[in-house]
Amino acid sequence: MADVAREAGVSHQTVSRVLNDHPNVRPDTRARVEEAITRLGYRRNLVARALVTKRSRTLGVVSFDTTLYGPASTIYGIEQAARTAGYFVSIVSLKTIDTHSVRDAVDYLTEQGVDGVVVVAPQYSASSALESLPAGMPVVAAEGTTHRADVSVVCIDQVEGAKLATRHLLEQGHETVWHISGPPEWLESEGRLQGWRAALEEADRPVPEPLAGDWSPRSGYEAGKSLAAMDGVTAVFAANDQMALGVLRALGELGVPVPEQISVVGFDDIPESEFFSPPLTTVRQDFDVVGRHCIEVLLRQIDVGPTAFERLVVRPSFVVRSSTAPAR
Amino acid sequence: MADVAREAGVSHQTVSRVLNDHPNVRPDTRARVEEAITRLGYRRNLVARALVTKRSRTLGVVSFDTTLYGPASTIYGIEQAARTAGYFVSIVSLKTIDTHSVRDAVDYLTEQGVDGVVVVAPQYSASSALESLPAGMPVVAAEGTTHRADVSVVCIDQVEGAKLATRHLLEQGHETVWHISGPPEWLESEGRLQGWRAALEEADRPVPEPLAGDWSPRSGYEAGKSLAAMDGVTAVFAANDQMALGVLRALGELGVPVPEQISVVGFDDIPESEFFSPPLTTVRQDFDVVGRHCIEVLLRQIDVGPTAFERLVVRPSFVVRSSTAPAR
DNA sequence: CTGTTAGCGCGTTCAC
DNA sequence: GTGAACGCGCTAACAG
């Protein structure tokens, strides 16, 4: 910066003003400085800037297994929105999620001087970790829940999504709908289970015992085999598309035609679902939007202060394809 | 830090020494300082530290569409390895990849003061962007290629993987193998195309015109329909699993039995492949390992200086499942 | 409109 | 083994 100042024949302060779009700079000095900057290929040092402004313009993201479609898409949305707003994104992906690991990750990010943190926290354990976070750091939870008044939440309405799926099946004339649930520690499992049960009860239908899955195609496959062995199963709602894929595979192996004999619905609408055999009817979640909302909320919190607690719920939509049909 | 020093009755230098595990500190003073640190809940300011050491302990990652399975897994590996080594990871994911956007991303990261950059650059355009990067910044390319002597590369042997797939099909007695390729601007498309062609030529077989895909299941679906309409097609090698899924879907729709009439092989081994109908024979890439290697190489480059250029090739493996069978 | 001065929180170099 | 001074590159506050 000193070099640029010398080159342009001004003080380093003026260079700083040009860099920060300060109004009080004469156009021609500004031009001289800008020219010097490009001539010297000068890049400012954001670390030094962060030291004095106490703002690093970096946001932290803590997530569990960024390899999964949901987290990956959410983070993508976060990153795009953050960069557009001029922020960097520093990521920590946890293999095991518990109160300590989330706390540690946030501490770690805090040392680095992040201005705020998004915790992608679809598990109860992660959500409870939110409770113990140090106050003062702006935090928003994506897909989480919390009792704290100073932590904002952005999430997709899981209950509504499950209702959409279940009602669709009921409208097709199915007597009831079986459910393959996700792992119990996930909020999304709980929400989908609730929505499914509520839709069934609203329609006065029997509520079968849900089958426990773990999000993996394999668990869906096992559940699918169990279902095929039972009597009277005509409609299945799997808590995600991977498990629905497993169901499709199991039924295919056993020669049970889908959707003729059994209708199947998933949840997520991963890019592959449209090309499953048969193409999967599913609930679409717009993770991108969730990511963008997270950044909006977080930046607002950073800028206007901790008063601006918000809770944003994104509505899912329903995609009908060929894995569902009217009951015979 | 001043507070801690006061609390422990020492100077802030001594606190700094304790924090950095400096040997010249008496055990009891060290204990006093450590106690003061925990009592005050002190966290050091890494920004200030970075300013004076000129090391931010942050690594940058530039990637295209982090939603895709390959990049997401690679980045996961990178993040794990980096954090283990005590580094932060700052991510930039590009929606369009060209020389300028990659350059801009690296510049952006440079301003932030990253100690090194991993460019996940499976496209030619990204690779060519590597050529124009400013010298001095340690850079490693994951899945890229470059003529620069100061940029290390870590990649998976695409040619070998394609040969594995093609030879497997040939060994099953198929006369030749058809290929659905990825988009031409991707290095991986090129490598897989080459490997497929080489394996065919080695065995003195006719080389059919490849069908152009774009990685999406839809493009595989279209290609599958074309293939079904042709005579004598008994074996297909799709350049990724998503396109293979599309092929499976198209053949299923048309009533062409897989693998009885047509055998299908994919590439990547995404978690879903095992549960396709039928389960997909495919080439497995260990993205995790690639990510870890990238960090190893990058850190070596940062520590020992720019002399340590390396090129690391990871071998893919082959997974036989039920989508391939002997030719009739 | 522009320059001067001070200091952000730390590590490094020297004294002691 | 420990402390005092100095400076990393920048912005804020004030002076001119």
Side-chain angles (χ1 to χ4, degrees), chain A residues 110-188:
Chain A
T110 305
E111 265 195 343
Q112 196 205 11
V114 295
D115 297 338
V117 174
V118 179
V119 181
V120 182
Q123 289 104 324
Y124 283 106
S125 45
S127 286
S128 73
L130 292 174
E131 311 295 327
S132 73
L133 250 35
M137 171 69 72
V139 173
V140 5
E143 296 299 329
T145 183
T146 177
H147 299 300
R148 285 177 64 153
D150 59 342
V151 173
S152 292
V153 173
V154 178
C155 62
I156 291 175
D157 194 336
Q158 305 293 335
V159 175
E160 177 63 20
K163 284 186 182 170
L164 251 29
T166 311
R167 283 190 201 129
H168 166 78
L169 258 5
L170 258 24
E171 280 161 12
Q172 301 279 310
H174 296 279
E175 169 62 19
T176 188
V177 176
W178 294 73
H179 181 54
I180 304 171
S181 63
E185 62 276 19
W186 290 63
L187 297 166
E188 297 163 349

Side-chain angles (χ1 to χ4, degrees), chain B residues 297-311:
Chain B
V297 171
L298 188 57
L299 292 184
R300 216 172 296 147
Q301 217 165 307
I302 290 172
D303 292 335
V304 321
T307 51
F309 168 73
E310 304 180 51
R311 182 181 171 83

Side-chain angles (χ1 to χ4, degrees), chain A residues 92-114:
Chain A
V92 176
S93 53
L94 272 16
K95 346 189 194 224
T96 57
I97 204 131
D98 53 72
T99 308
H100 283 297
S101 61
V102 173
R103 232 207 107 98
D104 283 355
V106 174
D107 279 1
Y108 182 67
L109 255 9
T110 305
E111 265 195 343
Q112 196 205 11
V114 295

